[in-house]
């Protein structure tokens, strides 16, 4: 078990998170669970800090983020070791998928934020000739970020940094499964010298997260399971406040008849087993058309055989499951698949020895009624579905409760783009996978039960801001055509309405001008 809440006899008044290594089961430490009162104090501090942080210029906010960037740059290798110790993932993954996001997103937003957050002047509208219209964005206030354990650093830091750039203050509740990373982030924010209350980290379990949802926050940004997402949404609805939900996925990869099979096979294995399959954007439904199925399958097996499984310091490609409970989910899905006629072609068992290691598993003859097809497995399992053609693959891909990301593999890029446009997902790639989530310019988020809302790209700033419409009149006219009195203007208004509906703009404007003259002739 990777982490659990306990109450030691001599600390009965202070529940703690007890953390165990997913690699060898050794005890890694105990961490306090923040109480509801702790959460309230953190939110109150964030509320107090908000006006001053909001009023800083963008350049002043980025000065703090540059300090943070320098800390990650100078100590990145040490941080990667901490994240890998916490999660079990290879050191390369901790650098690539966790830490490298920091400079990428800070650099992107330093260039993009001034343009995205600038007040925007709109075109003048025909019936508002004296009005100038603008749209601008204002920070929401205090943002609650509740983050998951599979990418505990990246999926915490990117929404936090986005909210900070947008002028908000943040209370972050990291997952109790990965408390080492939670403490690491607390250390980084403190070393960056952010003003008191601008970012607070509240370690804890589900009760801590529930307290944060009830607290005086202005938005909740949640990444996690559908079941918990529903609870978060219900809590937000009580106030009501906006919520963004980044939930699960069962992502489809479609291998077309003309795909580059070597590239597609290597991609499928990386996309299916990266982070031990513990990604909402993992390849969890691999559709292969009949014409290339056998040839592709042989290449797929060869690539799976090459995966090295082991601890972070062993030069491995794949580590253990981070969360011990996932062992049960993976085993249950595989058992259900066997009973319903699937073939476990490779793997299928926990690995001998200490830790939460599971064999890279290839499942064939997968059908739509199986749990492994319907529900998120979140483990090192690659289900393959044979289809007659690309149209059947697309139909099956779309006929599902989730819609997060997907990919299409073909040498005909125009055709691939057409198929990608028809896939019901928040993101879709052609001849690529997973990496789109790391592109700071692309909005990320799902459809259907994968959640709603977008972050990354300009949307990643707007996600934490209220849009405000402003209309300005210089006030040179004494009256407006629509002001009182009404009595003498009905016929003119009726003429305006009828001609406008009939598309006769000149006549409509003539009646509109008549209304203005009648308004000036107040009896």
């Amino acid at each position: 078990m990777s982490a659990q809440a306990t109450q030691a006899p001599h600390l009965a008044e202070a529940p703690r998170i007890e953390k165990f290594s997913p690699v060898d089961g050794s005890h890694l430490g105990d961490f306090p669970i923040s109480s509801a009162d702790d959460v309230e104090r953190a939110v109150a501090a964030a509320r107090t800090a908000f006006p001053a942080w909001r009023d800083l210029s963008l350049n002043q906010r980025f000065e703090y983020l540059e300090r943070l960037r320098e800390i990650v740059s100078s100590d990145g290798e040490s941080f990667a070791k901490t994240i890998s110790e916490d999660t079990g993932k290879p050191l390369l993954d901790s650098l690539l998928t966790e830490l490298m996001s920091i400079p990428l997103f800070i650099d992107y937003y330093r260039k993009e934020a001034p343009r995205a957050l600038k007040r925007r002047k709109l075109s003048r509208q025909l019936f508002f000739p004296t009005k100038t219209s603008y749209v601008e964005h204002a920070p929401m206030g205090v943002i609650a970020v509740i983050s998951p354990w599979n990418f505990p650093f990246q999926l915490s830091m990117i929404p936090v940094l986005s909210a900070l750039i947008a002028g908000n203050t943040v209370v972050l509740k990291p997952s109790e499964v990965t408390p080492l990373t939670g403490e690491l982030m607390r250390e980084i924010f403190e070393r960056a010298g952010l003003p008191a209350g601008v970012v607070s980290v509240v370690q804890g379990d589900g009760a801590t997260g529930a307290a944060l949802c009830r607290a005086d926050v202005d938005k909740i940004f949640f990444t996690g399971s559908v079941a918990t997402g529903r609870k978060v949404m219900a809590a937000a609805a009580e106030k009501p406040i906006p919520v963004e939900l980044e939930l699960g996925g069962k992502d489809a990869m479609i291998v077309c008849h003309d795909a580059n099979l070597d590239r597609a096979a290597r991609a499928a294995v990386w996309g299916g087993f990266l982070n031990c399959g513990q990604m909402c954007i993992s390849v969890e439904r691999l559709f292969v058309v009949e014409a290339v199925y056998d040839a592709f399958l042989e290449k797929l097996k060869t690539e799976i055989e090459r995966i090295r499984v082991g601890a972070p310091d062993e030069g491995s490609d794949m580590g253990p499951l981070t969360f011990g409970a996932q062992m049960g989910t993976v085993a249950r899905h595989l058992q259900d698949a066997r009973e319903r006629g699937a073939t476990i072609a490779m793997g299928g068992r926990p690995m001998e020895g200490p830790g939460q290691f599971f064999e890279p598993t290839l499942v064939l003859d997968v059908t739509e009624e199986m749990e492994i097809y319907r529900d998120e497995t979140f483990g090192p399992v690659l289900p393959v579905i044979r289809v007659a053609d690309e149209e059947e693959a697309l139909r099956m891909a779309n006929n599902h409760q989730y819609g997060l990301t997907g990919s299409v593999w073909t040498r005909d890029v125009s055709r691939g783009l057409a198929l990608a446009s028809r896939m019901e997902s928040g993101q879709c790639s052609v001849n690529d996978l997973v990496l789109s989530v790391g592109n700071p310019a692309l909005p990320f988020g799902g459809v259907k039960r994968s959640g709603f809302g977008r972050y990354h790209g300009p949307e990643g700033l707007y996600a934490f801001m209220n849009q405000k419409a402003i209309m300005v009149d210089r006030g040179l006219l004494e009256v407006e055509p629509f002001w009182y009195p009404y009595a003498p203007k009905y016929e003119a208004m009726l003429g305006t309405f009828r001609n406008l509906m009939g598309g006769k703009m000149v006549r409509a404007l003539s009646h509109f001008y008549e209304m203005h003259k009648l308004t000036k002739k107040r009896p």
Side-chain angles (χ1 to χ4, degrees), residues 69 95-111 158 161 435 437-441:
R69 176 193 172 123
L95 288 170
L96 172 66
T97 66
E98 301 273 15
L99 293 161
M100 210 167 81
S101 62
I102 301 304
L104 288 177
F105 276 80
I106 289 177
D107 288 350
Y108 170 76
Y109 279 129
R110 179 174 279 284
K111 295 175 182 177
I158 297 307
L161 295 181
L435 293 178
V437 72
N439 184 339

Side-chain angles (χ1 to χ4, degrees), residues 125-383:
Q125 300 301 300
L126 192 59
F127 280 86
F128 299 86
T130 63
K131 320 294 182 183
T132 305
S133 302
Y134 302 92
V135 171
E136 64 181 28
H137 296 83
M140 289 181 170
V142 179
I143 307 298
V145 175
I146 302 175
S147 59
W149 49 262
N150 58 327
F151 291 98
F153 190 84
Q154 184 222 129
L155 295 181
S156 299
M157 293 295 282
I158 297 307
V160 168
L161 295 181
S162 301
L164 291 177
I165 293 167
N168 303 277
T169 54
V170 181
V171 178
L172 167 65
K173 191 273 173 189
S175 171
E176 62 270 31
V177 177
T178 48
L180 298 179
T181 305
E183 288 305 306
L184 172 62
M185 292 185 290
R186 189 200 306 274
E187 173 196 334
I188 290 172
F189 289 126
E190 288 175 354
R191 288 176 58 186
L194 289 163
V198 170
V199 178
S200 296
V201 178
V202 288
Q203 292 264 38
D205 54 11
T208 307
L212 184 55
C213 291
R214 294 192 302 268
D216 180 29
V217 298
D218 297 295
K219 180 172 182 174
I220 305 171
F221 186 99
F222 172 79
T223 305
S225 70
V226 174
T228 305
R230 289 191 180 103
K231 295 177 183 178
V232 170
M233 192 172 178
E238 288 292 322
K239 301 183 181 184
I241 57 172
V243 59
E244 180 157 336
L245 301 180
E246 299 291 341
L247 307 178
K250 198 73 180 175
D251 293 354
M253 174 178 176
I254 298 176
V255 180
C256 300
H257 72 279
D258 62 344
N260 179 333
L261 298 187
D262 290 322
R263 177 178 173 84
R266 295 188 70 173
V269 171
W270 184 68
F273 297 106
L274 174 64
N275 203 39
C276 199
Q278 300 165 118
M279 301 192 298
C280 55
I281 57 172
S282 286
V283 177
E284 289 216 19
R285 292 180 298 149
L286 176 52
F287 298 98
V288 184
V289 300
E290 178 73 40
V292 296
Y293 181 87
D294 292 334
F296 179 78
L297 190 59
E298 288 306 310
K299 295 177 183 295
L300 196 65
K301 290 178 179 178
T302 299
E303 294 300 330
I304 294 174
E305 288 172 350
R306 290 173 174 162
I307 296 175
R308 295 183 62 184
V309 181
D313 58 356
E314 295 175 349
S316 59
D317 300 313
M318 190 183 90
L321 289 159
T322 300
F323 186 30
Q326 286 305 116
M327 297 282 279
T329 300
V330 173
R332 188 183 72 249
H333 282 198
L334 291 175
Q335 180 61 29
D336 175 78
R338 286 190 191 95
E339 292 174 355
R340 295 178 185 272
T343 301
I344 311 301
M346 300 178 69
R349 297 178 302 273
M351 298 180 69
E352 294 182 2
Q356 297 162 181
F357 293 93
F358 202 96
E359 296 175 335
T361 300
L362 177 65
V363 187
L364 308 179
D365 307 314
V366 174
T367 55
E368 291 175 278
E369 73 277 3
M370 297 175 183
E371 278 189 87
I372 207 166
Y373 184 95
R374 292 184 286 108
D375 300 325
E376 191 173 34
T377 304
F378 228 60
V381 178
L382 190 56

Side-chain angles (χ1 to χ4, degrees), residues 402-417:
Y402 291 118
L404 190 51
T405 72
S407 62
V408 178
W409 299 77
T410 174
R411 295 181 190 273
D412 185 341
V413 173
S414 296
R415 185 163 172 269
L417 186 58

Side-chain angles (χ1 to χ4, degrees), residues 50-86:
F50 170 62
W53 183 258
R54 174 198 60 201
D55 293 342
L56 292 179
S57 68
L58 265 177
N59 283 337
Q60 288 173 315
R61 291 180 209 148
F62 272 108
E63 287 178 10
Y64 287 100
L65 300 192
E66 283 300 328
R67 294 181 200 170
L68 187 149
R69 176 193 172 123
E70 290 170 6
I71 292 166
V72 173
S73 175
S74 63
D75 294 346
E77 190 173 358
S78 171
F79 294 165
K81 290 177 180 177
T82 298
I83 295 168
S84 289
E85 181 182 26
D86 206 12

